[in-house]
Amino acid sequence: MKAISEATLRRLPTYYHYLEIVNAEGLEYASSTTIANHMGLDPVQVRKDLQVTGVLGKPKSGFKVSELLTAIAAFLNWTNKNSAFLAGAGNLGKALIGYPGFEKYGMSIVAAFDTDPLKNKMKVSNIPILPLGKLPELAERMHVHIGIITTPANVAQEVADLMIEGGIKALWNFAPVHLVMPEDIIVENAQFSTSLAVLTRKLGQTAELELV
Amino acid sequence: MKAISEATLRRLPTYYHYLEIVNAEGLEYASSTTIANHMGLDPVQVRKDLQVTGVLGKPKSGFKVSELLTAIAAFLNWTNKNSAFLAGAGNLGKALIGYPGFEKYGMSIVAAFDTDPLKNKMKVSNIPILPLGKLPELAERMHVHIGIITTPANVAQEVADLMIEGGIKALWNFAPVHLVMPEDIIVENAQFSTSLAVLTRKLGQTAELELV
């Protein structure tokens, strides 16, 4: 098990998406220079990043596309199917439940949870919305290891605690709050406000520059 | 205009959300130690981060909560209202259109665009879905500076090009593809696959460790 940088890890999906396009175009090989140009990176960086997959490029032709696709997917654990529970069936929660692309990334939302009894009678995209209280027991019984949090901020911590009580090990947190968790729990934050802070701040700076 | 690290910028919304809770609880001051403990950070880091807002803490009581909230919002340009166009009114696009929280982060989705003529007759959460071809002209006329891309990967680059043709300066890209853009365009990537790569890879490593 090699330690790799988080930056490399975050770039791997983008390589994967690019290679899918190359593959669909029928190209058998892609060089690190071509990949680098397309992604706005240095070829040295590309070679270093892709080293983690164990696939070796050939001196002239480059990397075999199909081989690299398989290796990246295996490296990211996308070839396994990880079951996930989602808590909070509001607008965002429902959109994620209905999102068709997750299977490709090794994740499958198998059930959703909400405290609203009206929602508990519904299904979204054929996924049942169950009462929140049932989450820990079901997570344990179904060996679910990923929890997606799309609840309001004020209940997110409580929901996260319920998830780890049921043996969930990795949290994908969309609620705008910092979760306090034991060290062995994986937390990946995906708050809109974080992305927007970067956009709006930089945009504000651009506007200032134009006024000068 | 101070240069600040992207890491600080990305932490500011989390400070903001925490201070909102503190504020709602009626507390007037928060110390850097309290904030640090809550967010799992070092107090020195907290003081360094919050320095960018220009708000000074008092030796014993700490930061005035209301003052810090106002200063962070101003720093992030959340006190201005930035209009945004969204392209791609699928599941995710519709969820974002209907998301009530963006106004708070200084952004307002004023129109959505899609190439599907059937969708062009619809409104989502009272926002019209217009033909994609109208985007550049409308962006220019309405001085829209933020573009949100929730299209399929294979058309995302084309859509991004249309957006900057209309004078859009900042792109929030949810499509799983690397956008090639001029240097002065701000691109913030928010692809699910990136988040999931981190989750599924780390989860795979945990499973390996347990087997050892």
Side-chain angles (χ1 to χ4, degrees):
Chain A
M1 204 174 63
K2 234 185 260 176
I4 67 153
S5 82
E6 184 130 336
T8 296
L9 190 50
R10 286 183 190 277
R11 274 193 295 271
L12 286 175
T14 316
Y15 290 118
Y16 188 86
H17 297 310
Y18 173 62
L19 291 166
E20 279 188 311
I21 295 170
V22 171
N23 197 40
E25 284 168 354
L27 293 171
E28 212 180 331
Y29 286 88
S31 72
S32 49
T33 313
T34 312
I35 300 173
N37 285 344
H38 179 84
M39 286 181 55
L41 292 171
D42 192 271
V44 177
Q45 181 72 65
V46 172
R47 280 192 291 275
K48 209 185 142 209
D49 283 345
L50 295 179
Q51 226 171 26
V52 302
T53 65
V55 176
L56 297 171
K58 287 186 187 171
K60 294 222 168 159
S61 42
F63 297 96
K64 191 165 186 188
V65 175
S66 59
E67 197 186 348
L68 203 46
L69 278 169
T70 309
I72 294 174
F75 185 85
L76 294 177
N77 195 18
W78 285 356
T79 39
N80 279 336
K81 196 176 127 189
N82 298 289
S83 298
F85 276 177
L86 177 144
N91 276 330
L92 178 63
K94 282 188 216 157
L96 293 185
I97 296 169
Y99 192 73
F102 290 139
E103 296 275 345
K104 195 167 132 185
Y105 308 137
M107 189 180 79
S108 169
I109 301 176
V110 292
F113 297 84
D114 204 287
T115 49
D116 181 347
L118 286 176
K119 286 186 185 161
N120 294 151
K121 288 172 188 159
M122 287 163 47
K123 278 191 175 194
V124 173
S125 307
N126 231 20
I127 301 293
I129 302 174
L130 307 169
L132 186 64
K134 293 198 173 171
L135 194 149
E137 194 204 319
L138 276 174
E140 208 171 342
R141 205 196 313 159
M142 295 170 72
H143 302 287
V144 170
H145 292 152
I146 298 180
I148 306 172
I149 301 175
T150 49
T151 64
N154 59 337
V155 295
Q157 179 68 48
E158 193 184 324
V159 165
D161 292 340
L162 272 184
M163 285 177 167
I164 59 167
E165 189 189 320
I168 282 177
K169 290 168 184 159
L171 300 175
W172 197 13
N173 177 36
F174 288 82
V177 71
H178 171 80
L179 298 175
V180 180
M181 285 286 123
E183 268 189 23
D184 60 332
I185 300 296
I186 303 155
V187 180
E188 172 68 13
N189 288 304
Q191 287 109 344
F192 290 152
S193 57
T194 308
S195 272
L196 277 173
V198 177
L199 274 191
T200 52
R201 166 71 186 168
K202 290 185 181 168
L203 199 55
Q205 289 186 306
T206 311
E208 274 177 43
L209 283 174
E210 280 174 4
L211 289 174
V212 172
Chain B
M1 205 175 61
K2 232 184 264 178
I4 66 151
S5 82
E6 185 130 336
T8 296
L9 190 48
R10 286 183 191 277
R11 273 193 294 271
L12 285 175
T14 316
Y15 290 117
Y16 188 85
H17 297 309
Y18 173 62
L19 291 165
E20 279 187 310
I21 295 170
V22 171
N23 197 40
E25 285 169 354
L27 293 171
E28 212 181 330
Y29 285 89
S31 73
S32 50
T33 313
T34 312
I35 300 174
N37 285 344
H38 179 83
M39 286 181 56
L41 292 171
D42 192 271
V44 176
Q45 181 72 65
V46 172
R47 281 193 291 275
K48 207 184 145 210
D49 283 345
L50 295 179
Q51 226 170 27
V52 302
T53 64
V55 176
L56 296 171
K58 286 186 187 169
K60 294 224 171 160
S61 43
F63 296 96
K64 193 167 185 186
V65 174
S66 59
E67 197 186 347
L68 203 46
L69 278 170
T70 309
I72 294 175
F75 185 86
L76 294 177
N77 195 18
W78 286 356
T79 39
N80 279 337
K81 196 176 125 188
N82 298 289
S83 298
F85 277 178
L86 177 144
N91 276 330
L92 179 63
K94 283 188 216 157
L96 294 184
I97 296 169
Y99 192 71
F102 291 139
E103 297 275 345
K104 194 166 133 185
Y105 308 136
M107 188 180 80
S108 170
I109 300 175
V110 292
F113 297 84
D114 203 287
T115 49
D116 181 348
L118 286 176
K119 286 186 185 160
N120 294 152
K121 289 172 187 158
M122 288 163 45
K123 278 191 173 194
V124 173
S125 307
N126 231 21
I127 301 295
I129 302 174
L130 308 169
L132 186 64
K134 293 197 173 173
L135 194 149
E137 193 204 321
L138 276 175
E140 207 171 343
R141 206 195 313 157
M142 295 170 72
H143 303 287
V144 170
H145 292 154
I146 297 180
I148 306 172
I149 302 176
T150 49
T151 64
N154 59 336
V155 295
Q157 178 67 49
E158 193 184 322
V159 166
D161 292 340
L162 273 183
M163 285 178 167
I164 60 168
E165 189 189 319
I168 281 178
K169 289 169 184 157
L171 301 175
W172 196 14
N173 176 37
F174 287 82
V177 71
H178 172 81
L179 299 173
V180 182
M181 286 285 123
E183 267 188 23
D184 59 332
I185 301 296
I186 303 155
V187 180
E188 171 70 11
N189 287 306
Q191 288 109 344
F192 290 152
S193 57
T194 309
S195 272
L196 276 174
V198 178
L199 273 191
T200 52
R201 166 71 186 167
K202 289 185 182 168
L203 199 55
Q205 290 186 306
T206 311
E208 275 178 45
L209 283 176
E210 281 174 3
L211 289 174
V212 171

